[in-house]
Each structure stands twice: as C-alpha cells, then as structure tokens.
Amino acid sequence: MSAKYPFAKSLVFDEPTIQRRIVELSGDIHRHYSGLVTETSPLVLVVVLNGAFMFAADLARALADRKLPVRMDFICVSSYQGGTHTTGEVRMLLDLRRGIQGQHVLMIEDIVDSAHTLDFLLKLFMTRSPASLKMASLLDKKAARRIPLRVDFVCFDCPPEFVIGYGLDFAERFRELRDIVVLKPEYYMKAPAAKL
Ligand code: PRP
Ligand code: 7HP
C-alpha cells in the first residue's frame, strides 16, 4: 500500500471489489426499472460531476450489459471547494442538457456525506416533475449526515474518514486512482493544496 499510494493511510475498497459490487448493484437497478422504462422512454442517468464520472462510466456499462434502456445526462455541482468538509453551500456549475418531465430519473453520485448535495439536487429536480426520482451512490458515509436522507442504491457503506480515488478527490487530485483509499491526514492538515 505505502509504495503504491504513499499519500494513503489505508485501503478501503480495491478495484476488483468495486467492480464486482457495481455488477451486483446493476442487477438491483435493472430489476427495479425493467418494467418501467422502454426504448422510447429510457431511464435517465444523471451523472453528478465531477466525482461520479468513473462510477457512472462503469455502472452505465454494467446496465448496458443487462440491456436496460438508458440515456445519460450530466450536471455539475460543487460544495467542498478544495477542502475536506462541506461549505454547506451547493453551487451549480452545469445544468442538464434536456428536460426530465415525466421521465424516470436515477441520479448517480460518488458519495453521500452530509447530504447537502443530495438535498439540493432532490429539491431542484422535483420542481421539474420527473415520473420518479432516485439516487445511486458508490459510497454512503452515514455517520456524517447533517440532513437525514437515505440513498436508494448504495455500493458500499463508507467509514467516517476522508477518502480519495475512483473519482473522489482532494483539491482536484487523486480522482484517477483505481482503488479507494483513506488520505493521510497530514496531506490536508499541512500540505497546501497546490503542492500535492
Ligand atoms: C462531493 C461529492 C458529492 C458531495 C457529497 O462533491 O462528489 O457530490 O461532495 O458531499 P455532501 O453529501 O456532504 O454534500 P464536491 O462538492 O467535492 O465536488 P466534486 O464532485 O467535483 O468533487
Ligand atoms: C465529499 C468527499 N470527497 C472526497 N472524499 C470524501 O470522503 C468526501 N466526503 N464528501
């Protein structure tokens, strides 16, 4: 671990574990939506950028293997702004390309932590009258909740530590890792973000 990831305190989920679990979760999602969506009215996968890009890419391909009709759209929101704690203020940087009225929508997140972001997105999308609205998240850090929301489809419960990799960043670094690891606290306590 230390040779591969000198900035990591511990390994949380390795690549094979993540990939296996995504295939399993795609089965749950397929079972839930298979009677509801069709080629002419596909499931709308809303990828919440930036963090969810890698999870969404693997989940979408797992759903394609199961032949579930989907279309993908993207929204970009930000609230951590380079730190390890939410600012509590969610800023929208990019909105969906198309409307979602009357359509089944599944939001895809990398992590639900305080749930400020999920709360913001639920409120925003409910004003647009989807047929249904659910959330899939790679990680669920339940111990950190400030707003009591539950996630519909979860890959893994997350320990109450700051994790990076597989889409998750600290100050825009480490998203490219294949595995999910805990960042050594000295990296965010001492190192200026620009020097990481
Ligand atoms: C991260 C993550 C989630 C959110 C979860 O986004 O991708 O969207 O925080 O935290 P919360 O439950 O406390 O709101 P961030 O604002 O860091 O932007 P990013 O996706 O670009 O990393
Ligand atoms: C957001 C976030 N980003 C990276 N790692 C974590 O543990 C996080 N929690 N919330």
Side-chain angles (χ1 to χ4, degrees):
M1 157 74 22
S2 58
K4 191 172 180 192
Y5 298 131
F7 44 80
K9 189 175 103 178
S10 56
L11 176 70
V12 185
F13 301 110
D14 66 7
E15 184 181 19
T17 306
I18 295 168
Q19 295 302 329
R20 262 198 314 274
R21 181 68 189 119
I22 290 175
V23 171
E24 263 176 35
L25 192 79
S26 73
D28 297 342
I29 294 172
H30 178 259
R31 266 188 297 285
H32 180 79
Y33 287 105
S34 54
L36 296 175
V37 300
T38 62
E39 287 298 329
T40 51
S41 184
L43 176 63
V44 185
L45 296 180
V46 170
V47 184
V48 183
L49 298 173
N50 289 346
F53 77 98
M54 210 177 277
F55 172 47
D58 286 332
L59 180 62
R61 284 179 285 190
L63 292 172
D65 292 343
R66 296 180 188 277
K67 311 245 181 307
L68 189 74
V70 308
R71 75 171 175 89
M72 298 186 72
D73 207 337
F74 301 86
I75 191 165
C76 185
V77 292
S78 168
S79 56
Y80 278 65
Q81 284 148 36
T84 55
H85 289 93
T86 181
T87 61
E89 184 203 345
V90 182
R91 290 187 304 158
M92 186 159 72
L93 306 176
L94 172 79
D95 202 350
L96 299 179
R97 194 169 280 192
R98 292 200 188 168
I100 54 169
Q101 185 173 6
Q103 298 168 55
H104 294 283
V105 174
L106 180 63
M107 297 183 280
I108 303 181
E109 263 287 21
D110 55 343
I111 189 163
V112 178
D113 184 311
S114 70
H116 277 295
T117 307
L118 174 55
D119 183 55
F120 172 90
L121 292 171
L122 284 173
K123 286 177 178 153
L124 174 72
F125 289 148
M126 285 316 289
T127 65
R128 301 180 184 183
S129 309
S132 70
L133 180 58
K134 290 192 181 290
M135 159 72 76
S137 185
L138 174 68
L139 300 176
D140 190 355
K141 203 190 278 185
K142 291 198 183 83
R145 276 299 194 287
R146 293 202 200 152
I147 302 174
L149 289 173
R150 56 168 286 283
V151 186
D152 304 287
F153 300 99
V154 177
C155 274
F156 303 107
D157 286 332
C158 181
E161 298 193 86
F162 195 79
V163 297
I164 51 167
Y166 196 70
L168 293 132
D169 76 310
F170 171 62
E172 298 304 329
R173 295 286 314 278
F174 310 116
R175 293 194 198 274
E176 71 283 8
L177 308 183
R178 295 175 180 278
D179 311 296
I180 298 172
V181 300
V182 175
L183 182 62
K184 280 182 182 164
E186 54 260 41
Y187 273 76
Y188 50 82
M189 310 281 273
K190 293 196 196 112
K195 293 229 174 103
L196 281 174

